[in-house]
Amino acid sequence: MLKIRKQRRTRLIGAAVAVTVAVLAVVVSRLAPALPQVERASLWIDTVQSGDMLREVNATGTLVPRESRWLAAATSAQIERILVWPGTQVEPDTVLMQLSNPEVEDSLRNAQAQVAAAEADVAAKQAELTSQLLDTRSALSKASSDYASAKVKADADTKAVQAKVIPRVQYEQGQIALTQLQALEQIEKQRVDAFAATMKAQMDAVRAKLQQQRSNLQLRQRQAEALNVKAGIHGVLQEVAVQEGAQVASGANLARVARPEVLIARLQVPEVQAKDVAIGMQVGVDTHNGLIDGKVERIDPAVRNGSVQVDVALSGSMPAGVRPDLSVDGRIRIARLDKVLSVGRPALARPESDIGLFRFDPSSGTATRVPVRVGAASVDRIQIMHGLKPGDQVILSDSSQWDKYNAIRVR
């Protein structure tokens, strides 16, 4: 009887313990937060890979002609007539539009008259100075003749005075006259030399004034010729910035001509990534109708609106439909990382940082948060330093909504 009572007591205790455990399990399940359920179709899941990874910088931009020019108004003028419209093939001497400015025409006529007057001044001055030069040379000739005659007489007087034919006084007077005539001849020679130098200086002065007037005439002629706006290069008229009848100021842009057969890609690289870009780096340019290879050939030293302008020289054949101002996307290849772990770039991930990623286990259907150290980043991939191994599947979608969970259930 005692044995039966002990068995009943044991069964009762066991039942009580089982009930208590069940109650505690229910309480714990109610107190613990349930794992969030997420549809797999709404997640971006990628697999960690081992191998080479390209570091790339993505940038948007446009195709621009390598050679283009804006044609500007040489003077203020009125647009009389536009002869050529955008899209037309043009040659260097093709007249694109005609302008008018009465002041330019008047200035041209005045410049022509001033040049004619300056040329007449040069001719008159040349004649005047030539006449004066002849006068000084005539005076020198007379002085030389007088000196020669006096010398002949002095020589004769020397012999005569020795023979006592003439008085000594007469001989001395002849010597004095000879000396004076010799000095006069030297003075006339100096006068001719000095006048020749003065003549050159005076002619240089009037010729300089003539050259000044000719330069002014050339300027006025260029201004008059500029009223017929010419393309200047072989290419295509890209843009006409004015309308007929409009009044434009000096220096205002009128039209743009470019050579569309030679294009470059002008990319706008974010300033935080521009520090990694260097001359000569390979670039893939996507025209949305094909890919073009290129190389970085110029990096703007200034930052404008948060980006740095990078010019890319294109090589190879151009896809159909390529034209100036076409929007393109460029991928600049910074470096190749050999034998590294990498995965698709998670949302909001920054290079060289510690982040938390959900590692997905397909067998259990759950994803557990793990700490991950990431290294260099590219456009769509990022290097894994530690925290993951090859073959791991991780959720790359924005996981900020699950910050309070260390695990989620994927359906």
Side-chain angles (χ1 to χ4, degrees):
M1 190 68 176
L2 180 59
K3 184 177 180 179
I4 294 172
R5 289 179 178 176
K6 288 182 177 180
Q7 290 177 349
R8 288 179 178 175
R9 186 181 301 113
T10 300
R11 287 196 295 271
L12 290 173
I13 292 173
V17 170
V19 171
T20 302
V21 170
V23 171
L24 289 175
V26 171
V27 171
V28 170
S29 64
R30 290 183 177 180
L31 292 176
L35 294 180
Q37 305 287 324
V38 184
E39 293 289 340
R40 180 164 182 169
S42 64
L43 296 177
W44 176 23
I45 299 177
D46 195 19
T47 303
V48 177
Q49 299 177 0
S50 177
D52 298 341
M53 185 187 100
L54 286 177
R55 282 190 61 201
E56 297 179 319
V57 170
N58 194 28
T60 60
T62 57
L63 296 181
V64 298
R66 177 179 293 279
E67 183 179 355
S68 66
R69 64 171 58 183
W70 273 102
L71 305 175
T75 61
S76 59
Q78 184 176 13
I79 311 299
E80 289 294 333
R81 187 181 177 190
I82 297 175
L83 304 176
V84 181
W85 295 97
T88 305
Q89 291 276 350
V90 296
E91 299 297 331
D93 58 350
T94 301
V95 178
L96 306 182
M97 62 185 70
Q98 294 175 341
L99 314 181
S100 65
N101 185 337
E103 294 181 358
V104 171
E105 298 173 359
D106 291 342
S107 298
L108 176 59
R109 288 191 292 269
N110 291 336
Q112 291 171 339
Q114 290 171 356
V115 167
E119 289 174 344
D121 289 343
V122 170
K125 195 68 173 178
Q126 180 72 47
E128 176 186 352
L129 294 177
T130 300
S131 176
Q132 294 178 8
L133 178 61
L134 292 175
D135 292 341
T136 55
R137 285 177 176 174
S138 176
L140 172 60
S141 178
K142 183 177 184 305
S144 299
S145 177
D146 292 345
Y147 171 70
S149 297
K151 190 172 187 309
V152 171
K153 182 177 182 302
D155 291 342
D157 288 347
T158 300
K159 294 179 180 180
V161 76
Q162 292 175 353
K164 298 182 180 180
V165 175
I166 61 173
R168 187 75 183 179
V169 174
Q170 182 179 349
Y171 169 75
E172 294 294 340
Q173 289 176 341
Q175 291 297 317
I176 293 173
L178 179 64
T179 302
Q180 290 178 340
L181 290 174
Q182 184 180 16
L184 180 61
E185 182 187 33
Q186 293 298 322
I187 292 172
E188 292 299 335
K189 286 182 179 180
Q190 294 174 2
R191 183 177 298 172
V192 169
D193 293 340
F195 185 81
T198 303
M199 178 179 179
K200 182 179 182 305
Q202 294 185 51
M203 289 304 302
D204 287 344
V206 293
R207 288 193 181 104
K209 291 181 180 179
L210 174 60
Q211 184 59 40
Q212 182 180 7
Q213 296 301 330
R214 285 176 174 171
S215 298
N216 181 56
L217 175 60
Q218 292 175 354
L219 172 62
R220 301 307 177 185
Q221 287 174 336
R222 288 196 300 269
Q223 290 177 344
E225 292 171 358
L227 295 177
N228 291 323
V229 181
K230 296 182 179 180
I233 61 172
H234 168 76
V236 175
L237 180 60
Q238 299 289 316
E239 182 180 352
V240 174
V242 293
Q243 296 179 346
E244 291 182 353
Q247 189 75 26
V248 294
S250 176
N253 288 331
L254 304 176
R256 181 164 64 95
V257 180
R259 298 182 60 187
E261 68 273 13
V262 184
L263 299 175
I264 63 173
R266 184 156 289 166
L267 304 178
Q268 303 298 328
V269 179
E271 58 180 321
V272 295
Q273 297 176 321
K275 60 181 176 59
D276 298 324
V277 180
I279 301 295
M281 287 183 171
Q282 297 291 328
V283 184
V285 178
D286 185 3
T287 66
H288 310 292
N289 191 33
L291 294 175
I292 313 174
D293 293 329
K295 286 185 179 181
V296 175
E297 68 173 7
R298 189 186 74 87
I299 302 173
D300 197 314
V303 177
R304 295 180 178 85
N305 300 322
S307 62
V308 175
Q309 183 174 287
V310 174
D311 287 350
V312 178
L314 304 178
S315 59
S317 59
M318 299 290 178
V322 168
R323 63 189 62 193
D325 299 326
L326 180 69
S327 297
V328 296
D329 294 322
R331 294 167 72 100
I332 305 174
R333 302 182 186 108
I334 304 299
R336 179 187 293 273
L337 304 179
D338 298 327
K339 299 179 181 179
V340 298
L341 293 182
S342 65
V343 72
R345 188 167 181 173
L348 307 179
R350 294 180 300 175
E352 308 295 339
S353 63
D354 294 309
I355 60 175
L357 293 177
F358 282 97
R359 181 171 55 197
F360 176 57
D361 183 2
S363 61
S364 65
T366 59
T368 305
R369 187 189 300 274
V370 293
V372 178
R373 175 69 180 180
V374 297
S378 184
V379 176
D380 53 5
R381 297 194 70 78
I382 197 165
Q383 181 185 10
I384 301 299
M385 305 301 293
H386 57 74
L388 295 172
K389 63 182 183 299
D392 285 348
Q393 296 186 24
V394 292
I395 297 175
L396 305 181
S397 305
D398 185 6
S399 61
S400 58
Q401 56 183 319
W402 308 312
D403 283 347
K404 63 181 180 178
Y405 301 102
N406 288 323
I408 59 174
R409 188 172 301 280
V410 180
R411 296 180 297 185

